[in-house]
Amino acid sequence: QVQLVESGGSLRLSCAGAAYTLAYVYGGWFRQAPGKEREGVAAITSSGTITYADSVKGRFTISRDNARKILYLQMNSLKPEDTAMYYCAGAPSWRAMGRVGSWDQGTQVTVSS
């Protein structure tokens, strides 16, 4: 899936079937831009603790629909440097986000300047 947006615009990603387990207590998104390492973007634990990468604080908001097991990532004030493939994923820790697989095939987010 590809999402195109202009700089300053907004997008919302969703992830159905977030599969929290006793081991994978973090659920959220990581991203990978061409030539760069994978980077945790935002995550919410099974108990509700939220973590954001410094680069997206104040612009991105993660939320969860517990009944439908859907995660949402609201991305506002998007910048060209946010351009990357975004993956929904679970992990045992914030540092492990992007290192233990993903729950989906990824969404390409491209922000034009």
Side-chain angles (χ1 to χ4, degrees):
Q1 188 176 5
V2 178
Q3 300 274 11
L4 304 175
V5 65
E6 293 185 351
S7 181
S10 299
L11 285 174
R12 189 175 82 157
L13 304 182
S14 61
C15 178
Y20 289 94
T21 66
L22 288 177
Y24 281 29
V25 296
Y26 281 75
W29 279 265
F30 68 90
R31 66 188 180 185
Q32 186 166 26
K36 295 187 177 181
E37 293 187 356
R38 293 180 177 183
E39 172 191 31
V41 176
I44 181 169
T45 69
S46 52
S47 61
T49 301
I50 292 175
T51 305
Y52 294 104
D54 288 343
S55 58
V56 307
K57 283 180 180 177
R59 301 188 298 121
F60 290 13
T61 302
I62 189 170
S63 61
R64 181 175 65 206
D65 182 326
N66 290 324
R68 296 195 294 167
K69 297 183 179 180
I70 300 175
L71 297 177
Y72 298 99
L73 183 66
Q74 179 66 43
M75 303 186 292
N76 298 328
S77 302
L78 283 160
K79 305 174 181 180
E81 50 263 45
D82 293 317
T83 295
M85 185 72 80
Y86 285 72
Y87 297 90
C88 180
S93 68
W94 170 247
R95 291 187 63 183
M97 286 294 292
R99 291 170 170 80
V100 291
S102 63
W103 285 335
D104 68 7
Q105 298 300 310
T107 298
Q108 174 65 44
V109 173
T110 300
V111 184
S112 61
S113 57

